[in-house]
Amino acid sequence: MSEAVEQRTSHNGRRGGVTIQEVARLAGVSPATVSRVLNRDERVGEEYRERVTTAVGQLNYHPNQLARNLRTSSSAAIALVVPDITNNHFTEMVATVEAEAYRHGYHVLVCSTDEQPDKQVTYLEMLVGERVLGVIISPSDPNGREIGRLIDEGIPVVAFDREVSDRRADAVIADNIAATREVTNLLIGAGHQDIVLVAGRPDVETGAERIQGYEEAMRSARLRPRSINLDFRVQGGYEGVGGLIDSGDPLSALVVSNNLMTLGALLALRERGVRIPEDIAMVAIDDPIWASLIDPPLTTVAQPVRDMALSAMRVLIRRLGHDASPPERLIHRFELRVRASCGTVVR
Amino acid sequence: MSEAVEQRTSHNGRRGGVTIQEVARLAGVSPATVSRVLNRDERVGEEYRERVTTAVGQLNYHPNQLARNLRTSSSAAIALVVPDITNNHFTEMVATVEAEAYRHGYHVLVCSTDEQPDKQVTYLEMLVGERVLGVIISPSDPNGREIGRLIDEGIPVVAFDREVSDRRADAVIADNIAATREVTNLLIGAGHQDIVLVAGRPDVETGAERIQGYEEAMRSARLRPRSINLDFRVQGGYEGVGGLIDSGDPLSALVVSNNLMTLGALLALRERGVRIPEDIAMVAIDDPIWASLIDPPLTTVAQPVRDMALSAMRVLIRRLGHDASPPERLIHRFELRVRASCGTVVR
DNA sequence: CTGAAAGCGCTTACAG
DNA sequence: CTGAAAGCGCTTACAG
């Protein structure tokens, strides 16, 4: 963490560029007036406004954001704190938020916490130091104390996908319980009994909810729920499902908790020559773009990530406008996409 | 673009937090000394150092980065400018850079230009305004005038994947010509003659190089090169390959120029019931994680994105340390991964 | 080794 | 409607 500090201390020699003073001089007005024009202050006279505008043009003046940031004690940055950018789910989210942010003149800081609570703490500390305007977070640790600190400092926080414990944050989440119940019921309806859930970490909210939905469905059908808890990565799905097969325990269908684990599961099954859905049926949460291309096409429930990201940005932008209405909790629904892998469809 | 400006002007009311003055008072030293301790200035006496350190701890002081930024005329941000974050290739790159940046105490600004030159210009202007420390760019427009401006301002630029025309920038690129030649030769060696290249935009460097490699291989074999130029997206591959099949022109094998187009191509082929490799053989540039999972597994040349990203960061960090040695040009090689889709392998 | 003082480039009450 | 002046919170020559 020290390198960045060292670099910056030796960086002062950079030549300054045009300042607001020079623009003021050329336009024959005060710096204050230039500033007002730049900030769209209504009360500047038409003639002054024009003189400033042309002076700005002639000098090719660009305001120093750093000075602005210090003076206003804020920046133009929105921070995105996610557990893992390479997870397609979050990539879509980042892409959507970035496009929206650009439209509104913000820029985005991407912080990947790697599911590590302390990386989250470090990043959040950094973010209050940088006075980011707002943060959208999919927490690795929903209780992370720094979350409250952001809100204390007046920085709005929108929880995405997973809630945070601080009740002052807004939240945009998906109905994980209903979605997992639905896909599990689909397998039960097809006559499966030995259905195992390849679950993500139960200490992560979405993980826990998916387990809950699965267990509800199983219990309603008087079946014994059985799940393996792994981390939400390719490796997790690969090792978990590999072990499951190798154990020889009865198994006729899998519910897999997210797209990365699905990839791992498929690798493990393919290596062992297990056929889907003949030997084992499979359904997955998340609908990555390759789901319809693999053999067999995968039955999934799709999470409306882009819509969720847009919701999150909408709420955040409202908060940036100092909307102090009570925290919102927006719940989005998944969409079932039945394909061949669950064995209920003629191929 | 105006919204961000409006927000910040109304944001001053935020309560300040602990300042360096208060730390100095508590420690019984001057602010200058506190600053020196914080910035690891060697020449501070042991006793002063300790007093400062404990005062910092007691007050839970965090330096205001905004003030630091203005004073040093720099920030701790590295900017990543890429054409499309959702492209797996760039996602991997962003993830790798982010992790490296975190290790070194920088944070990263993600800018997606959407292949639009003017979006690139807007972003680069913003970046000089923000005095980012450095930028890694995969240019939508290699000639974008703002690239030179960054370098003029002393901000190091590393071109990634695609070079920029300004010769002062470093570049980390891949050997696209050799890679495309190699996969094309693989098909030729298997006896194919009607091999079409599903090419990306020829005005993009990587696109042009891939076309070149393909044409070199075809001409060496006295075959007529034929390519369709699309944009590097799923949609491009989908429509392009669909049209190709529907045209009824002779076609026995496809070389597809990147992973998104490959996805599109596969969708188009599947819709039409075209079998791979029996009806049409296929090889692709880029080796996404699903390449080995689809049916049939895809023959690809893999680009070492993570290594490339690490190279880029290494160069950039060196430049941040004011290394003024001549610009580097690091060329990475692809790796051929023969699987079933090219029809040269027993399934 | 340490401190007093200047200053980075803006914005914004405060007067007029 | 406009300007003079203060000040955001640091860092860093400059003296000592």
Side-chain angles (χ1 to χ4, degrees):
Chain A
M1 297 295 308
S2 60
E3 228 164 291
V5 171
E6 280 164 35
Q7 311 292 3
R8 59 197 314 157
T9 58
S10 45
H11 239 299
N12 55 324
R14 192 177 290 166
R15 72 152 213 262
V18 185
T19 73
I20 204 171
Q21 308 288 346
E22 305 172 45
V23 177
R25 209 172 306 135
L26 179 62
V29 301
S30 74
T33 299
V34 177
S35 173
R36 290 195 185 101
V37 172
L38 261 25
N39 291 294
R40 294 167 179 62
D41 189 318
E42 297 300 336
R43 336 163 279 198
V44 179
E46 197 46 58
E47 200 201 314
Y48 280 78
R49 184 179 301 281
E50 265 171 28
R51 268 153 58 189
V52 169
T53 314
T54 62
V56 164
Q58 278 177 36
L59 296 173
N60 188 26
Y61 168 70
H62 294 275
N64 182 324
Q65 295 298 333
L66 269 27
R68 222 174 224 190
N69 290 347
L70 174 57
R71 186 49 231 246
T72 61
S73 189
S74 78
S75 70
I78 288 174
L80 253 44
V81 184
V82 295
D84 179 8
I85 331 176
T86 60
N87 183 332
N88 200 272
H89 178 70
F90 293 114
T91 308
E92 297 278 314
M93 178 265 212
V94 172
T96 308
V97 168
E98 191 274 345
E100 274 303 283
Y102 178 83
R103 283 192 341 106
H104 292 273
Y106 304 116
H107 47 241
V108 346
L109 231 48
V110 169
C111 312
S112 192
T113 57
D114 236 8
E115 298 288 8
Q116 293 169 25
D118 52 315
K119 211 174 162 190
Q120 176 176 306
V121 168
T122 309
Y123 259 130
L124 296 188
E125 272 174 355
M126 201 184 229
L127 296 180
V128 346
E130 295 287 340
R131 299 291 188 278
V132 295
L133 276 184
V135 357
I136 300 180
I137 182 172
S138 198
S140 293
D141 174 6
N143 306 308
R145 66 179 190 290
E146 296 300 317
I147 295 173
R149 176 134 167 262
L150 285 166
I151 302 178
D152 291 343
E153 300 279 351
I155 301 173
V157 172
V158 179
F160 184 88
D161 236 37
R162 311 171 178 178
E163 299 202 53
V164 298
S165 49
D166 195 308
R167 310 303 306 178
R168 295 169 296 171
D170 296 291
V172 176
I173 50 181
D175 193 347
N176 289 287
I177 301 177
T180 318
R181 200 193 301 119
E182 189 172 10
V183 287
T184 307
N185 279 333
L186 185 68
L187 292 171
I188 294 172
H192 290 283
Q193 303 209 333
D194 296 311
I195 306 171
V196 172
L197 174 71
V198 181
R201 292 171 32 185
D203 57 323
V204 167
E205 180 182 311
T206 47
E209 289 175 352
R210 289 170 190 188
I211 293 171
Q212 187 184 334
Y214 159 78
E215 293 189 343
E216 284 179 15
M218 292 295 276
R219 293 223 178 80
S220 301
R222 310 222 167 279
L223 294 173
R224 193 171 59 87
R226 194 151 53 102
S227 54
I228 50 178
N229 296 317
L230 314 163
D231 84 14
F232 279 118
R233 309 284 177 94
V234 175
Q235 193 68 6
Y238 178 73
E239 289 170 1
V241 171
L244 202 61
I245 303 291
D246 297 343
S247 75
D249 289 349
L251 170 64
S252 78
L254 287 173
V255 177
V256 190
S257 241
N258 90 334
N259 68 78
L260 295 181
M261 301 175 76
T262 301
L263 232 22
L266 289 168
L267 279 169
L269 294 175
R270 184 154 295 201
E271 275 184 12
R272 288 165 179 75
V274 176
R275 293 165 307 167
I276 307 172
E278 294 83 354
D279 301 329
I280 291 180
M282 188 161 159
V283 299
I285 321 274
D286 286 347
D287 186 62
I289 192 160
W290 44 263
S292 60
L293 290 173
I294 63 170
D295 179 43
L298 206 60
T299 294
T300 64
V301 279
Q303 194 165 347
V305 206
R306 304 200 96 98
D307 286 348
M308 290 175 66
L310 289 175
S311 286
M313 273 302 271
R314 215 171 293 129
V315 176
L316 183 57
I317 286 173
R318 259 202 3 244
R319 297 295 177 199
L320 296 183
H322 303 281
D323 170 5
S325 57
E328 289 209 47
R329 196 157 168 280
L330 301 169
I331 305 177
H332 288 247
R333 298 203 60 102
F334 285 75
E335 184 191 313
L336 181 62
R337 300 193 178 154
V338 179
R339 302 196 186 94
S341 73
C342 58
T344 64
V345 153
V346 186
R347 295 185 67 184
Chain B
M1 296 295 308
S2 60
E3 225 163 294
V5 171
E6 279 163 37
Q7 312 293 2
R8 57 199 314 159
T9 58
S10 47
H11 238 302
N12 56 323
R14 191 176 289 164
R15 74 151 213 262
V18 184
T19 73
I20 204 171
Q21 308 288 346
E22 305 172 45
V23 177
R25 207 171 309 135
L26 179 61
V29 301
S30 73
T33 298
V34 177
S35 173
R36 290 193 185 103
V37 172
L38 261 23
N39 292 292
R40 295 169 179 60
D41 189 319
E42 297 300 336
R43 330 163 283 196
V44 179
E46 196 47 55
E47 199 201 315
Y48 280 79
R49 183 179 302 281
E50 265 171 30
R51 266 153 59 191
V52 169
T53 313
T54 63
V56 164
Q58 277 177 37
L59 295 174
N60 190 25
Y61 168 70
H62 295 276
N64 181 325
Q65 295 299 333
L66 268 29
R68 219 174 226 191
N69 290 347
L70 174 57
R71 186 49 232 245
T72 60
S73 189
S74 79
S75 70
I78 288 174
L80 253 43
V81 183
V82 295
D84 179 8
I85 330 174
T86 60
N87 183 331
N88 199 272
H89 179 69
F90 294 115
T91 308
E92 296 279 313
M93 179 263 213
V94 172
T96 308
V97 168
E98 191 274 345
E100 273 305 282
Y102 178 84
R103 282 191 342 107
H104 293 273
Y106 305 116
H107 46 242
V108 346
L109 231 47
V110 169
C111 311
S112 191
T113 57
D114 235 8
E115 299 287 7
Q116 293 169 25
D118 52 315
K119 210 173 163 190
Q120 176 177 306
V121 169
T122 309
Y123 259 131
L124 296 188
E125 273 175 354
M126 200 183 231
L127 296 181
V128 345
E130 295 286 339
R131 300 290 189 280
V132 295
L133 275 184
V135 357
I136 300 180
I137 183 173
S138 198
S140 293
D141 174 7
N143 307 307
R145 67 178 190 290
E146 295 301 317
I147 296 173
R149 176 132 167 266
L150 284 167
I151 302 177
D152 291 343
E153 299 280 350
I155 300 173
V157 172
V158 179
F160 183 87
D161 235 38
R162 312 171 178 178
E163 299 203 52
V164 298
S165 51
D166 195 309
R167 309 303 307 179
R168 295 170 295 171
D170 297 291
V172 176
I173 51 182
D175 193 347
N176 289 285
I177 301 178
T180 318
R181 198 194 299 121
E182 188 172 13
V183 286
T184 307
N185 280 333
L186 186 68
L187 292 172
I188 294 172
H192 290 282
Q193 303 208 337
D194 296 312
I195 306 171
V196 172
L197 174 71
V198 180
R201 296 172 29 186
D203 57 324
V204 166
E205 180 182 314
T206 47
E209 290 175 351
R210 289 169 191 189
I211 294 172
Q212 186 184 335
Y214 160 79
E215 293 189 341
E216 285 179 14
M218 292 295 276
R219 294 224 177 80
S220 300
R222 310 222 167 283
L223 295 173
R224 193 171 60 86
R226 194 152 51 101
S227 54
I228 49 177
N229 295 317
L230 313 163
D231 85 12
F232 278 120
R233 308 286 178 94
V234 176
Q235 194 67 6
Y238 178 72
E239 289 170 1
V241 171
L244 202 61
I245 304 291
D246 297 343
S247 75
D249 289 349
L251 170 64
S252 78
L254 287 173
V255 177
V256 190
S257 241
N258 91 334
N259 68 78
L260 295 180
M261 301 175 77
T262 300
L263 232 22
L266 289 168
L267 279 169
L269 294 176
R270 184 154 297 201
E271 276 185 12
R272 287 164 179 75
V274 175
R275 292 166 307 165
I276 308 172
E278 294 82 354
D279 301 329
I280 292 179
M282 186 162 160
V283 299
I285 320 276
D286 285 345
D287 186 62
I289 192 160
W290 44 263
S292 60
L293 290 173
I294 63 170
D295 179 42
L298 206 60
T299 294
T300 64
V301 278
Q303 194 165 347
V305 205
R306 303 201 96 99
D307 285 348
M308 290 176 64
L310 289 175
S311 286
M313 274 301 273
R314 214 171 295 129
V315 176
L316 183 58
I317 286 173
R318 256 200 8 241
R319 296 295 177 200
L320 297 183
H322 302 281
D323 170 5
S325 56
E328 289 210 48
R329 196 157 166 282
L330 301 169
I331 305 177
H332 288 246
R333 300 203 59 105
F334 284 74
E335 185 191 314
L336 181 63
R337 300 194 179 156
V338 179
R339 303 196 185 94
S341 72
C342 59
T344 63
V345 153
V346 186
R347 294 185 67 186

